[in-house]
């Protein structure tokens, strides 16, 4: 199928919005993506025609709701290249998924003195749970050193991945540096020393082909809302043999097998990890989002974003005083660029861009240790997706130049 | 847009109270955890009156303007008068139409001021 960005844009009603009379240029996709009509329709249709609680309802609606929910599990498993649908657990988001691996599995798996290896660039969602796991188990956190361009070298991998390392937790793509980390290689080296690998795929699953089996990772987490789906839904995929010893972290209805007054046994995997009524409509929305991106083709999306990245990097490097965080080469990075402009606070850049209808984000993007390491209080991040155009990114560059004129 | 009015830009580009005091009575740092901004506020206090006030730090326009206005406002005032300044008072002084997230930028300096006064009192008690 050929990729037609103008046709794609028509599927996203919000792109017709005006901000202060100017057409919206939405470049905050790393925070959350917009939703196509197909996803909105699927959620509305669910509530209008199928709404019921799932599992063990004998009535027709409950059957339908259960089917929609479980079909999405199959779709998600296929989307990730999982061996079985049961390896896919629905959570409320990437954060909840990472917390589930941390407190359901890692706290039992790790022992005092073990090393948890990660990077300073991790999102707080993939750092703070591990700080807490380290505190509870006596394991220690260690950090990969990144190059000046925010990349991980083969040499660094070989130096840091030693036999004391029991767990590596790393983003597939950094939400600030944009770096695509060499997850496949990390998994090879990790497994050679008997370590497991948890991958935070929040910025990757929406933007590139992901196959957990060819990556070779042990756990993979992502959020629906960054992938055209609704908020409040996420996915934890794990290898079945690791999900088996994992303990539930939330207890209640739907996750049990039998209950007596003083104890209970757990339901099968994945249900034991999905206590309470799940976000059924949200999961249905995720299903529609997966259908949507697969119809367009993940490879096409990846290719389109890569073109935009190369184009934007070329333009941004011409702006005097602008510092790009992360890799300088487009091929090494995903569709986002965080930057600073000498003498101008990131908030002020965002405010000037907003008055041009451009939505970007300024702050530390939930990566305080990285910003500290880079010796900047904050940065501005522009992030694109399948519906963004070269013209929009040209406007971004124009508006940054305008901000310099006004504020310097 | 409103916040890029000439007079505000002027205030932002030449904030008189930006910098450091030679012998400050109190000096505090305050952080905005949402955006990582940091502000340093220094006060000179003589006989329970603020005689000098300065701020510094990598701050955005809103934070600079608000810090400039507040430091200007408190000089010559007694500690009691200064203690009674509320968020609402400061936002009225700044008088810019702010989004919720940027209200945090504007009020960072007030948080710093509260902290400075607390430290001053603590120091006075310890002495
Ligand atoms: C790299 C990364 N990890 C984790 C998260 C957390 O995702 P969520 O807030 O959807 O749980 C984000 C989103 O901001 C992210 O960018």
């Amino acid at each position: 199928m050929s990729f037609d960005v103008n046709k794609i844009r028509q599927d996203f009603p919000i792109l017709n919005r005006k901000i202060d009379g100017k057409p919206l240029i939405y470049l905050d996709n790393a925070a959350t993506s917009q939703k196509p009509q197909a996803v909105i329709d699927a959620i509305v249709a669910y509530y209008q025609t199928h709404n019921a609680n799932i599992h063990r309802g004998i009535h027709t609606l409950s059957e339908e709701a259960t089917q929609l929910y479980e079909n999405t599990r199959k779709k998600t498993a296929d989307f990730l290249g999982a061996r079985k649908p049961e390896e896919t657990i629905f959570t409320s988001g990437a954060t909840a998924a990472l917390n589930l691996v941390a407190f359901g599995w890692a706290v039992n798996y790790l022992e005092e003195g073990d090393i948890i290896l990660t990077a300073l660039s991790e999102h707080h969602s993939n750092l703070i749970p591990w700080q807490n796991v380290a505190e509870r188990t006596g394991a220690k956190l260690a950090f990969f050193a990144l190059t000046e361009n925010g990349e991980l070298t083969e040499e660094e991998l070989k130096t840091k991945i030693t036999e004391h390392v029991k767990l590596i937790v790393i983003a597939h793509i950094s939400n600030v540096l944009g770096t695509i980390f060499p997850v496949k290689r990390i998994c090879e080296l990790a497994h050679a020393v008997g370590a497991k690998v948890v991958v935070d795929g929040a910025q990757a699953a929406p933007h590139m082909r992901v196959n957990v089996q060819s990556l070779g990772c042990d756990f993979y987490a992502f959020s629906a809302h960054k992938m055209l789906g609704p908020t409040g839904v996420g996915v934890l995929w794990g290898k079945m043999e690791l999900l088996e010893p994992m303990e539930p972290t939330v207890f209640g209805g739907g996750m049990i097998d039998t209950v007596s007054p003083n104890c209970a046994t757990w339901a099968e995997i994945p249900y034991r990890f999905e206590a309470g009524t799940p976000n059924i409509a949200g999961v249905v929305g995720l299903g529609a989002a997966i259908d949507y991106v697969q119809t367009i083709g993940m490879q096409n999306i990846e290719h389109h974003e890569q073109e935009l990245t190369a184009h934007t990097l070329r333009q941004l490097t011409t702006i005097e005083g602008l510092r790009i965080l992360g890799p300088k080469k487009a091929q090494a990075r995903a569709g986002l660029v965080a930057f600073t402009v000498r003498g101008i606070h990131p908030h002020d850049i965002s405010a000037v861009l907003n008055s041009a209808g451009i939505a970007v984000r300024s702050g530390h993007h939930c990566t305080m240790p990285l910003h500290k390491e880079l010796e900047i209080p904050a940065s501005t991040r522009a992030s694109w997706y399948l519906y963004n155009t070269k013209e929009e990114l040209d406007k971004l560059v124009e508006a940054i130049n305008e901000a310099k004129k006004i504020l310097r | 847009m409103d916040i890029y009015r000439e007079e505000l830009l002027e205030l932002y580009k030449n904030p008189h109270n930006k910098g450091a005091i030679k012998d400050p009575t109190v000096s505090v740092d305050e952080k905005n955890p949402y955006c990582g901004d940091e502000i340093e506020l220094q006060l000179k206090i003589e006989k329970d009156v603020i005689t000098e006030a300065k701020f510094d730090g990598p701050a955005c326009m809103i934070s600079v303007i608000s810090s400039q206005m507040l430091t200007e406002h408190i000089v010559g005032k007694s500690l009691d008068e200064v203690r009674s300044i509320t968020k609402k008072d400061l936002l009225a002084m700044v008088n810019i139409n702010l989004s919720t997230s940027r209200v945090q930028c504007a009020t960072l300096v007030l948080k710093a001021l509260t902290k400075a006064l607390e430290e001053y009192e603590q120091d006075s008690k310890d002495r």
Side-chain angles (χ1 to χ4, degrees):
Chain A
M1 200 188 126
S2 73
F3 187 94
D4 181 350
V5 68
N6 290 318
K7 193 154 162 282
I8 288 170
R9 290 179 69 82
Q10 288 167 14
D11 296 335
F12 291 79
I14 207 166
L15 297 179
N16 295 321
R17 269 232 32 195
K18 299 267 189 301
I19 304 294
D20 267 354
K22 308 209 175 65
L24 166 69
I25 297 181
Y26 188 75
L27 294 174
D28 195 16
N29 293 284
T32 197
S33 71
Q34 297 303 345
K35 322 301 170 199
Q37 191 62 49
V39 167
I40 300 167
D41 286 347
I43 295 169
V44 171
Y46 168 75
Y47 279 127
Q48 284 182 340
T49 51
H50 309 290
N51 177 56
N53 212 327
I54 53 170
H55 301 315
R56 282 174 299 280
I58 304 295
H59 61 85
T60 304
L61 291 185
S62 178
E63 275 289 319
E64 289 172 5
T66 305
Q67 243 180 38
L68 285 167
Y69 186 82
E70 291 303 330
N71 275 343
T72 302
R73 198 188 303 280
K74 283 197 203 87
K75 263 180 215 170
T76 311
D78 286 345
F79 178 72
L80 292 173
R83 255 170 302 172
K84 314 174 185 160
E86 295 79 37
E87 292 181 330
T88 309
I89 300 159
F90 291 122
T91 67
S92 66
T95 302
L98 292 163
N99 273 270
L100 175 55
V101 206
F103 300 105
W105 174 78
V107 288
N108 303 317
Y109 161 76
L110 290 168
E111 289 172 9
E112 195 170 339
D114 288 349
I115 291 178
I116 306 171
L117 188 55
T118 183
L120 272 184
S121 50
E122 289 308 304
H123 188 283
H124 295 164
S125 291
N126 197 33
L127 174 64
I128 301 167
W130 305 111
Q131 292 175 347
N132 202 282
V133 164
E135 204 170 290
R136 288 186 199 201
T137 58
K140 286 199 200 69
L141 282 173
F143 296 90
F144 284 121
L146 304 182
T147 65
E148 203 152 296
N149 286 342
E151 292 173 88
L152 250 176
T153 62
E154 173 75 11
E155 201 187 345
E156 176 64 9
L157 293 181
K158 285 194 169 141
T159 311
K160 293 278 168 70
I161 303 177
T162 61
E163 65 209 38
H164 300 292
V165 174
K166 285 285 162 340
L167 180 62
I168 300 180
V169 296
I170 186 104
H172 197 170
I173 291 173
S174 156
N175 67 313
V176 176
L177 300 168
T179 316
I180 304 170
F181 286 120
V183 169
K184 187 170 179 162
R185 183 66 183 142
I186 290 172
C187 292
E188 281 167 13
L189 292 169
H191 291 154
V193 298
K196 305 287 185 223
V197 183
V198 174
V199 181
D200 172 1
Q203 295 296 343
H207 301 281
M208 63 195 281
R209 284 160 297 168
V210 169
N211 184 306
V212 289
Q213 292 193 66
S214 65
L215 281 175
C217 58
D218 298 290
F219 292 95
Y220 197 94
F222 73 94
S223 284
H225 71 93
K226 294 187 200 280
M227 198 177 84
L228 313 183
T231 52
V233 179
V235 171
L236 175 68
W237 169 86
K239 277 186 186 153
M240 191 44 93
E241 59 267 33
L242 298 176
L243 295 180
E244 267 153 16
M246 186 160 95
E247 288 288 329
T249 54
V250 181
F251 302 84
M255 54 80 69
I256 50 85
D257 184 17
T258 55
V259 180
S260 50
N262 290 306
C263 62
T265 57
W266 309 147
E268 303 158 51
I269 295 166
Y271 307 112
R272 72 174 64 155
F273 304 117
E274 295 179 357
T277 301
N279 184 350
I280 307 165
V283 166
V284 170
L286 168 62
I290 292 177
D291 288 343
Y292 187 88
V293 292
Q294 287 191 324
T295 305
I296 305 283
M298 288 311 291
Q299 203 167 348
N300 291 330
I301 293 174
E302 215 175 312
H303 182 72
H304 175 70
E305 287 185 37
Q306 189 55 224
E307 271 186 10
L308 295 180
T309 305
H311 178 78
T312 311
L313 277 183
R314 259 198 312 273
Q315 304 246 0
L316 288 178
T317 42
T318 65
I319 300 179
E320 177 274 323
L322 187 140
R323 170 184 176 197
I324 291 170
L325 312 183
K328 302 292 173 285
K329 283 202 215 94
Q331 309 91 282
R333 60 190 302 151
L336 64 93
V337 173
F339 58 89
T340 57
V341 180
R342 185 159 27 80
I344 309 180
H345 193 283
H347 277 171
D348 297 328
I349 298 206
S350 277
V352 176
L353 296 191
N354 185 53
S355 62
I358 304 173
V360 296
R361 186 158 292 256
S362 282
H364 52 59
H365 319 293
C366 295
T367 57
M368 274 192 184
L370 175 67
H371 279 75
K372 202 155 194 182
E373 176 82 1
L374 297 169
E375 297 178 341
I376 48 176
S379 58
T380 303
R381 178 184 69 191
S383 50
W384 36 97
Y385 208 177
L386 74 169
Y387 37 67
N388 291 114
T389 64
K390 276 190 184 145
E391 292 72 35
E392 288 182 311
L393 287 156
D394 289 342
K395 290 241 171 65
L396 167 75
V397 173
E398 234 172 76
I400 296 170
N401 280 319
E402 180 67 18
K404 278 177 62 180
K405 248 186 250 152
I406 299 176
L407 295 165
R408 266 234 203 113
Chain B
M1 191 178 41
D2 188 36
I3 69 170
Y4 298 106
R5 293 195 308 256
E6 264 324 301
E7 74 272 20
L8 293 176
L9 280 169
E10 185 50 37
L11 203 55
Y12 162 66
K13 288 179 184 174
N14 299 300
H16 305 302
N17 290 343
K18 191 157 184 207
I21 296 177
K22 240 191 229 128
D23 260 321
T25 318
V26 270
S27 178
V28 294
D29 273 322
E30 190 57 80
K31 271 198 181 114
N32 179 348
Y34 298 102
C35 65
D37 274 3
E38 214 170 327
I39 194 168
E40 184 179 27
L41 180 70
Q42 297 190 322
L43 304 176
K44 189 142 195 130
I45 303 171
E46 286 167 55
K47 297 196 188 104
D48 279 358
V49 171
I50 294 182
T51 57
E52 218 183 332
K54 293 222 162 171
F55 68 95
D56 213 344
C60 67
M61 181 172 167
I62 302 301
S63 174
V64 169
I65 290 172
S66 149
S67 301
Q68 174 61 33
M69 288 181 167
L70 186 70
T71 48
E72 227 169 88
H73 178 77
I74 60 177
V75 169
K77 296 221 164 39
S78 73
L79 293 187
D80 281 341
E81 282 174 290
V82 169
R83 244 180 242 116
S84 69
I85 300 171
T86 63
K87 239 177 169 175
K88 213 170 146 197
D89 297 335
L90 177 62
L91 292 174
M93 247 185 269
V94 172
N95 191 23
I96 304 175
N97 197 358
L98 294 175
S99 61
T100 338
S101 59
R102 298 214 88 189
V103 166
Q104 312 261 9
C105 306
T107 53
L108 185 63
V109 65
L110 189 60
K111 267 171 79 186
L113 180 62
T114 311
K115 191 167 160 186
L117 296 180
E118 278 166 10
E119 274 190 21
Y120 175 71
E121 274 161 45
Q122 198 57 44
D123 284 353
S124 315
K125 267 189 229 148
D126 293 346
R127 233 180 278 133

